mmCIF file with all atom_site columns, all heavy atoms in Angstrom:
data_model
loop_
_atom_site.group_PDB
_atom_site.id
_atom_site.type_symbol
_atom_site.label_atom_id
_atom_site.label_alt_id
_atom_site.label_comp_id
_atom_site.label_asym_id
_atom_site.label_entity_id
_atom_site.label_seq_id
_atom_site.pdbx_PDB_ins_code
_atom_site.Cartn_x
_atom_site.Cartn_y
_atom_site.Cartn_z
_atom_site.occupancy
_atom_site.B_iso_or_equiv
_atom_site.pdbx_formal_charge
_atom_site.auth_seq_id
_atom_site.auth_comp_id
_atom_site.auth_asym_id
_atom_site.auth_atom_id
_atom_site.pdbx_PDB_model_num
ATOM 1   N N   . ALA A 1 128 ? 179.939 63.614 26.679 1.00 97.00 ? 203 ALA A N   1
ATOM 2   C CA  . ALA A 1 128 ? 178.756 64.391 27.076 1.00 97.00 ? 203 ALA A CA  1
ATOM 3   C C   . ALA A 1 128 ? 178.803 65.807 26.501 1.00 97.00 ? 203 ALA A C   1
ATOM 4   O O   . ALA A 1 128 ? 177.795 66.312 26.021 1.00 97.00 ? 203 ALA A O   1
ATOM 5   C CB  . ALA A 1 128 ? 178.632 64.438 28.609 1.00 97.00 ? 203 ALA A CB  1
ATOM 6   N N   . ARG A 1 129 ? 179.977 66.429 26.533 1.00 97.00 ? 204 ARG A N   1
ATOM 7   C CA  . ARG A 1 129 ? 180.107 67.788 25.966 1.00 97.00 ? 204 ARG A CA  1
ATOM 8   C C   . ARG A 1 129 ? 179.838 67.754 24.465 1.00 97.00 ? 204 ARG A C   1
ATOM 9   O O   . ARG A 1 129 ? 179.140 68.613 23.934 1.00 97.00 ? 204 ARG A O   1
ATOM 10  C CB  . ARG A 1 129 ? 181.502 68.359 26.247 1.00 97.00 ? 204 ARG A CB  1
ATOM 11  C CG  . ARG A 1 129 ? 181.706 68.811 27.664 1.00 97.00 ? 204 ARG A CG  1
ATOM 12  C CD  . ARG A 1 129 ? 183.007 69.614 27.850 1.00 97.00 ? 204 ARG A CD  1
ATOM 13  N NE  . ARG A 1 129 ? 184.203 68.879 27.394 1.00 97.00 ? 204 ARG A NE  1
ATOM 14  C CZ  . ARG A 1 129 ? 184.875 68.010 28.146 1.00 97.00 ? 204 ARG A CZ  1
ATOM 15  N NH1 . ARG A 1 129 ? 184.501 67.782 29.399 1.00 97.00 ? 204 ARG A NH1 1
ATOM 16  N NH2 . ARG A 1 129 ? 185.955 67.414 27.672 1.00 97.00 ? 204 ARG A NH2 1
ATOM 17  N N   . ALA A 1 130 ? 180.400 66.779 23.788 1.00 97.00 ? 205 ALA A N   1
ATOM 18  C CA  . ALA A 1 130 ? 180.186 66.659 22.331 1.00 97.00 ? 205 ALA A CA  1
ATOM 19  C C   . ALA A 1 130 ? 178.710 66.395 22.026 1.00 97.00 ? 205 ALA A C   1
ATOM 20  O O   . ALA A 1 130 ? 178.149 66.954 21.088 1.00 97.00 ? 205 ALA A O   1
ATOM 21  C CB  . ALA A 1 130 ? 181.065 65.547 21.745 1.00 97.00 ? 205 ALA A CB  1
ATOM 22  N N   . HIS A 1 131 ? 178.082 65.570 22.864 1.00 97.00 ? 206 HIS A N   1
ATOM 23  C CA  . HIS A 1 131 ? 176.649 65.282 22.683 1.00 97.00 ? 206 HIS A CA  1
ATOM 24  C C   . HIS A 1 131 ? 175.829 66.546 22.834 1.00 97.00 ? 206 HIS A C   1
ATOM 25  O O   . HIS A 1 131 ? 174.918 66.851 22.045 1.00 97.00 ? 206 HIS A O   1
ATOM 26  C CB  . HIS A 1 131 ? 176.195 64.206 23.649 1.00 97.00 ? 206 HIS A CB  1
ATOM 27  C CG  . HIS A 1 131 ? 174.803 63.756 23.404 1.00 97.00 ? 206 HIS A CG  1
ATOM 28  N ND1 . HIS A 1 131 ? 173.729 64.371 24.027 1.00 97.00 ? 206 HIS A ND1 1
ATOM 29  C CD2 . HIS A 1 131 ? 174.285 62.819 22.599 1.00 97.00 ? 206 HIS A CD2 1
ATOM 30  C CE1 . HIS A 1 131 ? 172.612 63.813 23.606 1.00 97.00 ? 206 HIS A CE1 1
ATOM 31  N NE2 . HIS A 1 131 ? 172.913 62.849 22.747 1.00 97.00 ? 206 HIS A NE2 1
ATOM 32  N N   . ASP A 1 132 ? 176.145 67.343 23.834 1.00 97.00 ? 207 ASP A N   1
ATOM 33  C CA  . ASP A 1 132 ? 175.436 68.617 24.076 1.00 97.00 ? 207 ASP A CA  1
ATOM 34  C C   . ASP A 1 132 ? 175.628 69.583 22.894 1.00 97.00 ? 207 ASP A C   1
ATOM 35  O O   . ASP A 1 132 ? 174.693 70.226 22.439 1.00 97.00 ? 207 ASP A O   1
ATOM 36  C CB  . ASP A 1 132 ? 175.879 69.283 25.365 1.00 97.00 ? 207 ASP A CB  1
ATOM 37  C CG  . ASP A 1 132 ? 175.408 68.530 26.606 1.00 97.00 ? 207 ASP A CG  1
ATOM 38  O OD1 . ASP A 1 132 ? 174.494 67.692 26.491 1.00 97.00 ? 207 ASP A OD1 1
ATOM 39  O OD2 . ASP A 1 132 ? 175.985 68.817 27.698 1.00 97.00 ? 207 ASP A OD2 1
ATOM 40  N N   . GLU A 1 133 ? 176.865 69.638 22.419 1.00 97.00 ? 208 GLU A N   1
ATOM 41  C CA  . GLU A 1 133 ? 177.142 70.518 21.285 1.00 97.00 ? 208 GLU A CA  1
ATOM 42  C C   . GLU A 1 133 ? 176.421 70.027 20.030 1.00 97.00 ? 208 GLU A C   1
ATOM 43  O O   . GLU A 1 133 ? 175.890 70.810 19.263 1.00 97.00 ? 208 GLU A O   1
ATOM 44  C CB  . GLU A 1 133 ? 178.665 70.590 21.029 1.00 97.00 ? 208 GLU A CB  1
ATOM 45  C CG  . GLU A 1 133 ? 179.051 71.702 20.089 1.00 97.00 ? 208 GLU A CG  1
ATOM 46  C CD  . GLU A 1 133 ? 180.552 71.876 19.976 1.00 97.00 ? 208 GLU A CD  1
ATOM 47  O OE1 . GLU A 1 133 ? 181.309 71.352 20.816 1.00 97.00 ? 208 GLU A OE1 1
ATOM 48  O OE2 . GLU A 1 133 ? 180.947 72.555 19.013 1.00 97.00 ? 208 GLU A OE2 1
ATOM 49  N N   . LEU A 1 134 ? 176.374 68.716 19.891 1.00 96.00 ? 209 LEU A N   1
ATOM 50  C CA  . LEU A 1 134 ? 175.650 68.143 18.742 1.00 96.00 ? 209 LEU A CA  1
ATOM 51  C C   . LEU A 1 134 ? 174.182 68.489 18.804 1.00 96.00 ? 209 LEU A C   1
ATOM 52  O O   . LEU A 1 134 ? 173.562 68.844 17.786 1.00 96.00 ? 209 LEU A O   1
ATOM 53  C CB  . LEU A 1 134 ? 175.833 66.616 18.737 1.00 96.00 ? 209 LEU A CB  1
ATOM 54  C CG  . LEU A 1 134 ? 175.298 65.864 17.539 1.00 96.00 ? 209 LEU A CG  1
ATOM 55  C CD1 . LEU A 1 134 ? 175.978 66.319 16.272 1.00 96.00 ? 209 LEU A CD1 1
ATOM 56  C CD2 . LEU A 1 134 ? 175.497 64.371 17.743 1.00 96.00 ? 209 LEU A CD2 1
ATOM 57  N N   . GLU A 1 135 ? 173.591 68.460 19.977 1.00 96.00 ? 210 GLU A N   1
ATOM 58  C CA  . GLU A 1 135 ? 172.181 68.821 20.131 1.00 96.00 ? 210 GLU A CA  1
ATOM 59  C C   . GLU A 1 135 ? 171.925 70.254 19.718 1.00 96.00 ? 210 GLU A C   1
ATOM 60  O O   . GLU A 1 135 ? 170.857 70.582 19.195 1.00 96.00 ? 210 GLU A O   1
ATOM 61  C CB  . GLU A 1 135 ? 171.731 68.588 21.573 1.00 96.00 ? 210 GLU A CB  1
ATOM 62  C CG  . GLU A 1 135 ? 171.617 67.127 21.976 1.00 96.00 ? 210 GLU A CG  1
ATOM 63  C CD  . GLU A 1 135 ? 170.573 66.390 21.150 1.00 96.00 ? 210 GLU A CD  1
ATOM 64  O OE1 . GLU A 1 135 ? 169.454 66.923 20.963 1.00 96.00 ? 210 GLU A OE1 1
ATOM 65  O OE2 . GLU A 1 135 ? 170.875 65.259 20.717 1.00 96.00 ? 210 GLU A OE2 1
ATOM 66  N N   . SER A 1 136 ? 172.879 71.139 19.953 1.00 96.00 ? 211 SER A N   1
ATOM 67  C CA  . SER A 1 136 ? 172.695 72.541 19.552 1.00 96.00 ? 211 SER A CA  1
ATOM 68  C C   . SER A 1 136 ? 172.834 72.735 18.030 1.00 96.00 ? 211 SER A C   1
ATOM 69  O O   . SER A 1 136 ? 172.297 73.690 17.493 1.00 96.00 ? 211 SER A O   1
ATOM 70  C CB  . SER A 1 136 ? 173.682 73.447 20.296 1.00 96.00 ? 211 SER A CB  1
ATOM 71  O OG  . SER A 1 136 ? 174.996 73.278 19.810 1.00 96.00 ? 211 SER A OG  1
ATOM 72  N N   . ILE A 1 137 ? 173.541 71.820 17.378 1.00 96.00 ? 212 ILE A N   1
ATOM 73  C CA  . ILE A 1 137 ? 173.749 71.924 15.937 1.00 96.00 ? 212 ILE A CA  1
ATOM 74  C C   . ILE A 1 137 ? 172.566 71.317 15.156 1.00 96.00 ? 212 ILE A C   1
ATOM 75  O O   . ILE A 1 137 ? 172.238 71.760 14.053 1.00 96.00 ? 212 ILE A O   1
ATOM 76  C CB  . ILE A 1 137 ? 175.062 71.248 15.509 1.00 96.00 ? 212 ILE A CB  1
ATOM 77  C CG1 . ILE A 1 137 ? 176.238 72.049 16.045 1.00 96.00 ? 212 ILE A CG1 1
ATOM 78  C CG2 . ILE A 1 137 ? 175.175 71.082 14.002 1.00 96.00 ? 212 ILE A CG2 1
ATOM 79  C CD1 . ILE A 1 137 ? 177.583 71.364 15.870 1.00 96.00 ? 212 ILE A CD1 1
ATOM 80  N N   . LEU A 1 138 ? 171.936 70.305 15.712 1.00 95.00 ? 213 LEU A N   1
ATOM 81  C CA  . LEU A 1 138 ? 170.891 69.568 14.985 1.00 95.00 ? 213 LEU A CA  1
ATOM 82  C C   . LEU A 1 138 ? 169.777 70.446 14.412 1.00 95.00 ? 213 LEU A C   1
ATOM 83  O O   . LEU A 1 138 ? 169.374 70.247 13.258 1.00 95.00 ? 213 LEU A O   1
ATOM 84  C CB  . LEU A 1 138 ? 170.314 68.459 15.846 1.00 95.00 ? 213 LEU A CB  1
ATOM 85  C CG  . LEU A 1 138 ? 171.247 67.246 16.036 1.00 95.00 ? 213 LEU A CG  1
ATOM 86  C CD1 . LEU A 1 138 ? 170.624 66.226 16.966 1.00 95.00 ? 213 LEU A CD1 1
ATOM 87  C CD2 . LEU A 1 138 ? 171.624 66.633 14.699 1.00 95.00 ? 213 LEU A CD2 1
ATOM 88  N N   . PRO A 1 139 ? 169.255 71.430 15.098 1.00 95.00 ? 214 PRO A N   1
ATOM 89  C CA  . PRO A 1 139 ? 168.216 72.270 14.485 1.00 95.00 ? 214 PRO A CA  1
ATOM 90  C C   . PRO A 1 139 ? 168.723 73.003 13.259 1.00 95.00 ? 214 PRO A C   1
ATOM 91  O O   . PRO A 1 139 ? 168.000 73.109 12.256 1.00 95.00 ? 214 PRO A O   1
ATOM 92  C CB  . PRO A 1 139 ? 167.825 73.265 15.593 1.00 95.00 ? 214 PRO A CB  1
ATOM 93  C CG  . PRO A 1 139 ? 168.212 72.578 16.859 1.00 95.00 ? 214 PRO A CG  1
ATOM 94  C CD  . PRO A 1 139 ? 169.444 71.763 16.541 1.00 95.00 ? 214 PRO A CD  1
ATOM 95  N N   . ARG A 1 140 ? 169.959 73.500 13.312 1.00 95.00 ? 215 ARG A N   1
ATOM 96  C CA  . ARG A 1 140 ? 170.519 74.181 12.128 1.00 95.00 ? 215 ARG A CA  1
ATOM 97  C C   . ARG A 1 140 ? 170.737 73.186 10.990 1.00 95.00 ? 215 ARG A C   1
ATOM 98  O O   . ARG A 1 140 ? 170.522 73.505 9.821  1.00 95.00 ? 215 ARG A O   1
ATOM 99  C CB  . ARG A 1 140 ? 171.856 74.860 12.466 1.00 95.00 ? 215 ARG A CB  1
ATOM 100 C CG  . ARG A 1 140 ? 171.721 76.046 13.380 1.00 95.00 ? 215 ARG A CG  1
ATOM 101 C CD  . ARG A 1 140 ? 173.033 76.755 13.594 1.00 95.00 ? 215 ARG A CD  1
ATOM 102 N NE  . ARG A 1 140 ? 174.070 75.799 13.969 1.00 95.00 ? 215 ARG A NE  1
ATOM 103 C CZ  . ARG A 1 140 ? 175.376 75.968 13.741 1.00 95.00 ? 215 ARG A CZ  1
ATOM 104 N NH1 . ARG A 1 140 ? 175.803 77.046 13.131 1.00 95.00 ? 215 ARG A NH1 1
ATOM 105 N NH2 . ARG A 1 140 ? 176.245 75.067 14.136 1.00 95.00 ? 215 ARG A NH2 1
ATOM 106 N N   . LEU A 1 141 ? 171.151 71.970 11.336 1.00 95.00 ? 216 LEU A N   1
ATOM 107 C CA  . LEU A 1 141 ? 171.355 70.930 10.343 1.00 95.00 ? 216 LEU A CA  1
ATOM 108 C C   . LEU A 1 141 ? 170.036 70.568 9.662  1.00 95.00 ? 216 LEU A C   1
ATOM 109 O O   . LEU A 1 141 ? 169.968 70.478 8.421  1.00 95.00 ? 216 LEU A O   1
ATOM 110 C CB  . LEU A 1 141 ? 172.001 69.709 10.958 1.00 95.00 ? 216 LEU A CB  1
ATOM 111 C CG  . LEU A 1 141 ? 172.308 68.544 10.004 1.00 95.00 ? 216 LEU A CG  1
ATOM 112 C CD1 . LEU A 1 141 ? 173.376 68.954 9.007  1.00 95.00 ? 216 LEU A CD1 1
ATOM 113 C CD2 . LEU A 1 141 ? 172.743 67.306 10.798 1.00 95.00 ? 216 LEU A CD2 1
ATOM 114 N N   . GLU A 1 142 ? 168.999 70.376 10.461 1.00 95.00 ? 217 GLU A N   1
ATOM 115 C CA  . GLU A 1 142 ? 167.694 70.037 9.901  1.00 95.00 ? 217 GLU A CA  1
ATOM 116 C C   . GLU A 1 142 ? 167.199 71.130 8.973  1.00 95.00 ? 217 GLU A C   1
ATOM 117 O O   . GLU A 1 142 ? 166.548 70.868 7.957  1.00 95.00 ? 217 GLU A O   1
ATOM 118 C CB  . GLU A 1 142 ? 166.696 69.785 11.036 1.00 95.00 ? 217 GLU A CB  1
ATOM 119 C CG  . GLU A 1 142 ? 166.977 68.513 11.804 1.00 95.00 ? 217 GLU A CG  1
ATOM 120 C CD  . GLU A 1 142 ? 166.166 68.384 13.088 1.00 95.00 ? 217 GLU A CD  1
ATOM 121 O OE1 . GLU A 1 142 ? 165.329 69.280 13.370 1.00 95.00 ? 217 GLU A OE1 1
ATOM 122 O OE2 . GLU A 1 142 ? 166.396 67.393 13.808 1.00 95.00 ? 217 GLU A OE2 1
#
Side-chain angles (χ1 to χ4, degrees):
R204 285 191 305 275
H206 186 269
D207 289 344
E208 193 173 345
L209 187 60
E210 289 297 315
S211 72
I212 292 172
L213 287 177
R215 291 185 309 153
L216 181 66
E217 290 169 3

